Amino acid sequence: MQNEIAVAVRDLRMTYPGARPVHALKGVSLDVRQGEMLLVMGPSGSGKSTLLSIIGGLLTPTAGSVIASGTEITHLPRKESARFRLQNFGYVFQSFNLFSSMTGAENVELAFDIRGVRGRKARSAARELLSQFGLNEQADRAARDLSGGEQQRVAIARALAGNPSAVLADEPTSQLDADNGAIVANILSELAHKRGTTVIIAAHDDRIRSVADRAVQLDDGRL
């Protein structure tokens, strides 16, 4: 249900140690509902990527908690945390992070393979996902030969392998031109509004703001 809280963030604090410790997050709390597209905005260094990484279980906060799909994930043992991420989160990065020598279909198929779907079933599912994003003709081309917009669409398809409950996207349009950025923004919006996937995006892109359900501003580690 769209009114259910999918991700609950409570008093997150993150300090990176060093000679001059960096206080990246300073007591951040928010709720994100199932099927909501949330945009986290803020200048470089505001803590956006840190917040996204903690929500996705890639970083452990100094203090505070994240509850996702009913599970408190911030202090799970390493193996349980990895298993939870695999089952519940899809990730989209600004640099695409595709295997350049593999085809678009192979990149997506690998994501299915990691989630336990293999062989003919994985190949069929990968092509079906790519088809949904208008990438039939690009499926058999090496990722390095695709345009930036095509690579990002492949990356989104890969993130959806296994039907995660949430997709986390870190600056997904920053390397794209206006037209491709708008296409990707609309695809992410459709994930939330047509599939019911929770979508959390860290960016400062007005193309995303125009289609997001809600935008919050992060500045110097505070909402």
Side-chain angles (χ1 to χ4, degrees), residues 24-25 28 38-52 94 169-172 174 200-206 208-209 214-223:
L25 296 178
V28 172
L38 175 69
L39 172 60
V40 181
M41 304 187 76
S44 296
S46 62
K48 300 190 305 297
S49 294
T50 295
L51 176 60
L52 213 64
Q94 61 177 324
D170 192 1
E171 300 283 3
S174 66
I200 305 174
I201 304 169
H204 51 272
D205 189 335
D206 286 336
I208 296 176
R209 187 168 192 169
R214 182 165 54 111
V216 296
Q217 182 76 22
L218 193 62
D219 201 352
D220 192 28
R222 293 187 175 91
L223 281 181

Side-chain angles (χ1 to χ4, degrees), residues 51-107:
L51 176 60
L52 213 64
S53 294
I54 293 174
I55 289 175
L58 299 173
L59 283 178
T60 301
T62 304
S65 65
V66 174
I67 299 173
S69 299
T71 300
E72 203 284 322
I73 66 172
T74 38
H75 301 292
L76 286 176
R78 183 175 297 179
K79 286 187 178 180
E80 288 184 36
S81 179
R83 188 180 306 116
F84 185 90
R85 289 197 305 271
L86 199 61
Q87 294 173 347
N88 292 276
F89 291 123
Y91 300 90
V92 180
F93 305 95
Q94 61 177 324
S95 56
F96 317 136
N97 284 10
L98 299 176
F99 291 98
S100 62
S101 62
M102 295 172 65
T103 67
E106 288 169 342
N107 269 278

Side-chain angles (χ1 to χ4, degrees), residues 21-44:
V22 175
H23 303 287
L25 296 178
K26 304 172 182 177
V28 172
S29 297
L30 74 144
D31 290 333
V32 190
R33 299 190 178 278
Q34 186 67 40
E36 180 179 14
M37 181 177 180
L38 175 69
L39 172 60
V40 181
M41 304 187 76
S44 296

Side-chain angles (χ1 to χ4, degrees), residues 1 14 32 37 43 45 47 55 57 84 121 137 149 152 159 177 179 185 188 201 210 221:
M1 293 178 61
M14 184 66 179
V32 190
M37 181 177 180
I55 289 175
F84 185 90
K121 189 174 181 180
E137 295 182 2
Q152 192 59 294
D177 60 26
D179 289 342
L188 292 170
I201 304 169
S210 67

